[in-house]
């Protein structure tokens, strides 16, 4: 593993074994390209984490809640095998959430609790509808939903009336003729 000198950031690349213990001072942890199906138990005690990257693994569930990581602002669980995103991770501290390249077919209603979320990637999942509560997320500036089975977008997003949304990536999707899924909002 690669650990910065100040022991605040650790990257565990695919060609390295997972550590049996983690420094309690860690703020950023990246474990990518491993055959893990859940976060290693030794990492569950890292209450100071602000960034957690678990991309490119074999995660089938997220075995932790936002309560374990009260300072978490960035969560990247892209390119895994997740079928859902647990409501226990819909916390107000998250600023960036990457759920792309999974098998998620629905989103929890409690997403409105993510009041600081500015970037949300749901690209390449199994979503057939985007809930209206996503359009009402007041801090959301970037939304990526391409590569799903969406036939429409919530009216607020389609009309460009979503509060702070500045960037929308929605293609490819099988949108109905009247919907324009490839808009880039200014």
């Amino acid at each position: 593993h690669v650990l910065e000198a100040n022991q605040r950031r650790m990257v565990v690349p695919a060609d390295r074994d997972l550590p049996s213990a983690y420094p309690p001072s860690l703020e950023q942890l990246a474990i990518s390209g491993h055959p893990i199906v859940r976060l290693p138990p030794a990492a569950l005690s890292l209450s100071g984490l602000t960034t957690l990257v678990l991309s490119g693994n074999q995660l089938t569930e997220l075995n932790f809640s936002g309560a374990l990581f009260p300072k978490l602002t960035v969560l990247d669980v892209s390119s895994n095998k997740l079928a859902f995103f647990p409501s226990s991770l819909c916390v107000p501290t998250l600023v960036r959430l990457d759920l792309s390249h999974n098998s998620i077919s629905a989103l929890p209603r409690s997403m409105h609790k993510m009041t600081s979320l500015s970037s949300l990637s749901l690209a390449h999942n199994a979503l057939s509808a985007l809930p209206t509560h996503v359009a009402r997320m007041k801090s959301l500036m970037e939304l990526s939903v391409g590569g799903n089975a969406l036939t429409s977008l919530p009216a607020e997003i389609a009309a460009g009336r979503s509060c702070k949304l500045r960037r929308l990536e929605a293609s490819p999707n099988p949108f109905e003729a009247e919907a324009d899924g490839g808009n880039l909002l200014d």
Side-chain angles (χ1 to χ4, degrees), residues 14-57:
D15 62 344
R16 300 286 177 97
D17 291 335
L18 291 174
S20 58
Y22 299 86
S25 60
L26 272 184
E27 294 175 1
Q28 299 178 6
L29 176 61
I31 301 173
S32 298
H34 286 270
I36 59 172
V37 295
R38 59 180 48 132
L39 185 64
L44 292 173
S45 63
L46 299 173
S47 61
L49 281 183
T50 60
T51 300
L52 181 56
V53 177
L54 298 170
S55 62
N57 294 302

Side-chain angles (χ1 to χ4, degrees), residues 87-103:
S87 59
S88 62
L89 283 169
C90 294
V91 294
T93 57
L94 276 181
V95 173
R96 194 172 91 225
L97 176 59
D98 191 342
L99 298 170
S100 64
H101 297 276
N102 279 288
S103 299

Side-chain angles (χ1 to χ4, degrees), residues 159-176:
R161 294 188 316 249
S162 193
C163 289
K164 292 184 176 182
L165 196 61
R166 297 290 176 249
R167 184 171 179 220
L168 172 63
E169 293 177 9
S171 291
N173 270 300
F175 288 110
E176 295 175 359

Side-chain angles (χ1 to χ4, degrees), residues 114-168:
M114 293 189 281
T115 54
S116 301
L117 196 67
S118 66
S119 177
L120 175 60
S121 181
L122 299 166
H124 302 282
N125 274 288
L127 295 170
S128 58
L130 193 61
T132 56
H133 58 267
V134 171
R136 295 184 184 124
M137 296 174 80
K138 298 199 183 305
S139 298
L140 194 61
M141 296 176 70
E142 297 178 5
L143 177 61
S144 178
V145 293
N148 283 285
L150 301 175
T151 56
S152 65
L153 292 172
E156 295 93 333
I157 292 175
R161 294 188 316 249
S162 193
C163 289
K164 292 184 176 182
L165 196 61
R166 297 290 176 249
R167 184 171 179 220
L168 172 63

